[in-house]
Amino acid sequence: MSKPTTALSTISSHGPRRLQALSAAAVVGLALTLCTTTAPAHAADLVPQTESEAEQLIEDRAAEDPSTLDRDSVPEGVSVEQAQKAVEKTDELTTADVEYAAAQEDLPASGVPKDFYQTPDSLPSEDGAVLKQADSEFYLDPVKLIKHAAKSTVFMYKTTDEQGNARAATATLLTPNGASGHADDAVVLSPGTQGIADKCAPSRQMSMGTEYEGISIASALAAKHPVVVVDYVGLGTEGTHHYLNRTEEGRSVLDAARAVQQVDGSEIDEKTQLQLRGYSQGGHATTAALELQKDWAPELNIASASAGAVPTDLYKTVSGLSSVYTAFALYGVDTFADQADIDTSDFLNEKGQKIVAETADKCTVEALLSTAFTDGQSLTKNGESFTDIIDENFTDIVHRQRLGKADVPDVPLLVNHSRLDDVVPFEQGKALASTWCRAGHKVAFEDNLGPTHVGGYVAALPRIETFTSRTFAGKAPLDSCWRL
């Protein structure tokens, strides 16, 4: 496997020790992982355009030997043996992911000023009102070799949480290089699971080169679509980010789409066709926004939507999680407890409380590594499973996050899901597509055989862009309802 070594070696001789350990596979990001002879400056253009390219990218992710991992290429809170075991026993994590998480520990602060995320003393009554904005940057790698040419602007806007409280949230507008005048169309991207700590907000991570959604963002920008990347309520700004909260996610997305029309320099206005797009947690947020749009933001010009690996039923998703993904369950437990006003000490033992607190401060990859193969029952007071904990404490909260029960706009819909997804059951994606078909919508259901949750994400990208191009051009997508 060829690697872009020339420019990388120039950086590594001067950078911190962990950046010196970063391999070429890791340098272009968690899901991107582009190993190519092309110069790093051009790697931003190398998103998979065909299914064969996507398959090659997935193969490249898994190609490196876990025995190459050493102390300098593993995060501080994880032992070398623990990291090697995680890579060997699951296809979801690769050596590049481990090295990438380690490199994050030595990175400088985000290019966005810290005080930008402070909420103003008073907020306007109008949801979607812009509060402030600042120039930002979009890097595809943590040593900042691969800066995307898109113009990047982070902005803060007003939204409302599930309890009716006025909240400030943030998002990023990326405008393709060379764009001028009115934007005929734009993509509103809801990111997958980032973590629940403020430092994990996509607007912060894009400026640091650590945002794994970079591959999807770059894919949309390559098609010359402006992109709005949503941070969600409480992710970056004050207050708790309520992981997978249907109402707060949906409102964050819709109000970001409203607010971007007011951003100075934005070419998006009320006539711009919008596509809502997201995968995993992002698929959950996209679907939630579709279900809330009629009542919350009926004026938005939504032209289509793409929702991938949507966890429509959190109870079934958590019940089926393997111990590789304990971190996802811990994110949920922490934020469910906050929403229910329950102290986690009511059901977690001392070890469990410690691990939940530590995980809450870690972004996705490091959290997965540090908790991989942790038995949830070893963290509870009475040896209960996380499913038992939900039954006893959070049934109502989990029920409120159910998707597929409400009307959605009459626009073309794409549902993509890997049959080999090991996080969100494939049946949930297929059932969502079937529900929308029964309601009379035009639905393209694109299943694939991408291995694991991440593999399904990468494999879906070429089909998403084809769907996007067709629907923005006013052409109907292939309808899958006849086979569902």
Side-chain angles (χ1 to χ4, degrees):
M1 184 166 59
S2 300
K3 298 177 181 179
T5 56
T6 305
L8 291 174
S9 61
T10 302
I11 293 292
S12 64
S13 62
H14 298 93
R17 186 172 64 176
R18 287 183 181 275
L19 291 183
Q20 293 177 27
L22 196 65
S23 75
V27 81
V28 286
L30 165 63
L32 197 55
T33 317
L34 298 172
C35 300
T36 172
T37 55
T38 304
H42 301 141
D45 297 327
L46 296 179
V47 293
Q49 301 297 316
T50 66
E51 292 186 26
S52 61
E53 289 178 5
E55 290 172 1
Q56 186 61 52
L57 197 157
I58 294 168
E59 290 178 11
D60 288 346
R61 267 182 50 82
E64 294 196 347
D65 184 355
S67 66
T68 61
L69 294 171
D70 58 23
R71 185 62 266 163
D72 289 339
S73 57
V74 173
E76 290 289 355
V78 181
S79 70
V80 174
E81 294 74 19
Q82 187 179 7
Q84 290 175 337
K85 178 184 176 182
V87 172
E88 289 171 356
K89 290 187 175 295
T90 174
D91 292 330
E92 188 73 30
L93 294 167
T94 70
T95 56
D97 299 336
V98 177
E99 293 172 332
Y100 195 78
Q104 287 180 285
E105 296 180 344
D106 277 344
L107 294 177
S110 165
V112 180
K114 286 185 177 180
D115 61 0
F116 178 83
Y117 294 92
Q118 294 178 2
T119 300
D121 293 336
S122 62
L123 295 176
S125 59
E126 181 185 0
D127 289 306
V130 173
L131 307 177
K132 52 179 144 177
Q133 67 180 72
D135 292 337
S136 56
E137 297 174 322
F138 175 29
Y139 286 94
L140 286 169
D141 68 304
V143 289
K144 296 191 174 182
L145 287 177
I146 311 172
K147 182 178 180 180
H148 202 287
K151 178 185 177 183
S152 180
T153 305
V154 61
F155 60 95
M156 179 181 285
Y157 60 96
K158 187 260 184 178
T159 188
T160 302
D161 67 18
E162 187 178 25
Q163 303 304 317
N165 301 310
R167 299 284 294 274
T170 48
T172 305
L173 167 63
L174 297 117
T175 304
N177 186 37
S180 61
H182 174 260
D184 293 328
D185 49 61
V187 170
V188 181
L189 177 70
S190 302
T193 300
Q194 306 287 304
I196 58 177
D198 285 342
K199 65 182 180 181
C200 306
S203 62
R204 295 177 186 260
Q205 295 207 68
M206 284 190 289
S207 293
M208 297 167 62
T210 59
E211 178 49 61
Y212 70 77
E213 286 280 10
I215 185 173
S216 185
I217 298 167
S219 179
L221 289 169
K224 300 302 181 183
H225 306 305
V227 182
V228 181
V229 184
V230 183
D231 281 350
Y232 302 133
V233 173
L235 197 56
T237 49
E238 67 180 4
T240 302
H241 168 55
H242 292 149
Y243 183 49
L244 293 169
N245 180 289
R246 171 185 178 271
T247 299
E248 294 181 3
E249 286 177 345
R251 290 177 179 177
S252 293
V253 173
L254 296 171
D255 288 333
R258 284 168 155 166
V260 72
Q261 300 175 34
Q262 306 168 34
V263 171
D264 290 342
S266 171
E267 298 171 352
I268 299 171
D269 62 21
E270 70 279 359
K271 295 181 180 179
T272 301
Q273 296 184 97
L274 302 176
Q275 180 192 79
L276 306 187
R277 178 189 298 187
Y279 185 89
S280 192
Q281 183 184 2
H284 190 275
T286 294
T287 304
L290 288 172
E291 294 185 350
L292 297 174
Q293 189 257 342
K294 181 179 178 180
D295 292 329
W296 193 256
E299 77 281 7
L300 291 178
N301 185 18
I302 297 176
S304 65
S306 169
V310 183
T312 56
D313 187 327
L314 298 189
Y315 185 85
K316 291 182 179 178
T317 302
V318 172
S319 300
L321 278 180
S322 78
S323 60
V324 174
Y325 306 106
T326 299
F328 294 156
L330 296 176
Y331 287 153
V333 164
D334 187 65
T335 62
F336 292 165
D338 181 80
Q339 293 171 76
D341 196 24
I342 295 174
D343 196 306
T344 57
S345 63
D346 290 351
F347 52 85
L348 295 179
N349 58 30
E350 188 173 335
K351 176 185 175 183
Q353 294 174 62
K354 179 175 183 292
I355 289 181
V356 164
E358 292 173 348
T359 304
D361 194 47
K362 295 175 180 176
C363 302
T364 303
V365 180
E366 187 178 0
L368 285 172
L369 280 170
S370 62
T371 61
F373 309 112
T374 299
D375 183 357
Q377 292 178 282
S378 70
L379 308 179
T380 59
K381 279 188 171 180
N382 302 313
E384 300 166 299
S385 68
F386 285 132
T387 303
D388 295 331
I389 296 298
I390 290 173
D391 285 338
E392 295 170 8
N393 301 279
F394 308 125
T395 301
D396 179 60
I397 291 173
V398 170
H399 181 72
R400 293 203 304 269
Q401 316 321 322
R402 285 286 300 273
L403 298 171
K405 303 294 184 182
D407 292 337
V408 299
D410 188 18
V411 298
L413 302 167
L414 169 65
V415 177
N416 58 83
H417 210 142
S418 171
R419 290 180 175 272
L420 304 179
D421 194 316
D422 55 348
V423 175
V424 181
F426 172 76
E427 291 72 20
Q428 292 194 31
K430 186 175 181 180
L432 179 64
S434 297
T435 296
W436 284 343
C437 283
R438 289 194 299 272
H441 296 291
K442 295 177 181 177
V443 182
F445 180 63
E446 296 284 3
D447 53 341
N448 64 65
L449 294 176
T452 75
H453 193 59
V454 169
Y457 167 81
V458 176
L461 283 173
R463 300 183 187 185
I464 292 172
E465 293 307 339
T466 298
F467 170 84
T468 302
S469 298
R470 288 186 60 85
T471 54
F472 278 155
K475 299 177 182 178
L478 295 177
D479 195 337
S480 303
C481 291
W482 63 272
R483 64 181 179 89
L484 291 174

